[in-house]
Amino acid sequence: MKLSVKGFDIHSGLLDVTEQRSVLDAVRSVVTRAPFFRPEMPSGKRMSVRMTAAGQYGWYSDKEGYRYVPTQPSGQPWPDIPLEVLEIWQEVTGLERKPECCLINYYDAEAKMGLHQDRDEADMGWPVVSVSLGDEGLFRMGNVTRGGKTESMWLRSGDVVVMGGDARRAYHGVDRIRAGSSKLLPKGGRLNLTLRVVD
Ligand code: SIN
Ligand code: MN
């Protein structure tokens, strides 16, 4: 089922359990080559979300600010974006252009992500596609400027969100996760993949 909330296109239940498992296996293989780390925000505080990435670029943050980087903190390149993940991009966007970054976020029971815009990409005309796996996450959708009315929705394992049009520049975040709401990840928690065109 597809619904639109404040311009965010939500394909709920797009991936069945078999597809979720195959994406999860692909993510695990990325994580063995590119381990999770907790980026430091410009304020000096560490994020509660653990991150890694696949593709030509990964997203990185430290005291110098938010940016895309061609290598992991170890100096190694990021692993390729798994085909299973590129297929989801293809299915929901139909675009010729492929994403250059698949950011992988892991939320444990306490992790959350404050309201923010995705704006480190050179051309914000391309959509961002988000794939949720594991425990449910309360996704908050806002406006293109800070403030104003927001709407929230629980994203479930297998849900895919397309942020395009005005929603591409809209503030969004994850208030909390519902620990234990999914059995997909044996140790619990939530994985979110976001596919981005960077250059
Ligand atoms: C993000 O905005 O990078 C992540 C969104 C999510 O975890 O659903
Ligand atoms: Mn974001």
Side-chain angles (χ1 to χ4, degrees), residues 116 118 172 196:
H116 66 278
D118 291 356
H172 58 277
R196 299 127 182 270

Side-chain angles (χ1 to χ4, degrees), residues 42-104:
S43 65
K45 228 181 120 188
R46 283 202 187 272
M47 299 184 74
S48 58
V49 177
R50 288 168 172 77
M51 294 187 177
T52 187
Q56 207 179 318
Y57 297 103
W59 187 85
Y60 191 74
S61 169
D62 61 14
K63 288 209 178 68
E64 263 112 70
Y66 303 135
R67 61 199 181 273
Y68 285 97
V69 290
T71 53
Q72 303 183 35
S74 68
Q76 293 280 108
W78 303 97
D80 288 341
I81 302 180
L83 280 179
E84 294 85 340
V85 178
L86 290 174
E87 278 168 14
I88 300 169
W89 169 273
Q90 194 54 44
E91 182 177 352
V92 296
T93 70
L95 291 169
E96 201 59 45
R97 180 79 190 248
K98 299 286 169 274
E100 289 129 6
C101 173
C102 172
L103 176 66
I104 304 172

Side-chain angles (χ1 to χ4, degrees), residues 5-6 8 115 139-153 170-173 175:
V5 180
K6 290 180 82 74
F8 290 73
L115 278 176
F139 186 56
R140 186 191 289 268
M141 292 158 276
N143 308 292
V144 292
T145 53
R146 214 176 247 294
K149 205 173 151 285
T150 65
E151 281 192 54
S152 296
M153 171 171 176
Y171 279 84
H172 58 277
D175 288 351

Side-chain angles (χ1 to χ4, degrees), residues 4-41:
S4 177
V5 180
K6 290 180 82 74
F8 290 73
D9 284 333
I10 299 163
H11 300 255
S12 68
L14 187 75
L15 308 180
D16 65 23
V17 177
T18 308
E19 291 164 328
Q20 293 171 38
R21 289 213 182 95
S22 98
V23 175
L24 176 61
D25 286 345
V27 168
R28 283 188 172 131
S29 131
V30 168
V31 172
T32 56
R33 286 169 290 151
F36 281 113
F37 59 96
R38 281 176 63 197
E40 191 184 6
M41 293 182 282

Side-chain angles (χ1 to χ4, degrees), residues 103 105 113-114 116-119 128 139 163 170 172-173 192 194 196:
L103 176 66
N105 292 340
M113 186 177 290
H116 66 278
Q117 289 170 303
D118 291 356
R119 58 173 180 204
V128 169
F139 186 56
M163 300 183 246
H172 58 277
N192 177 266
T194 40
R196 299 127 182 270

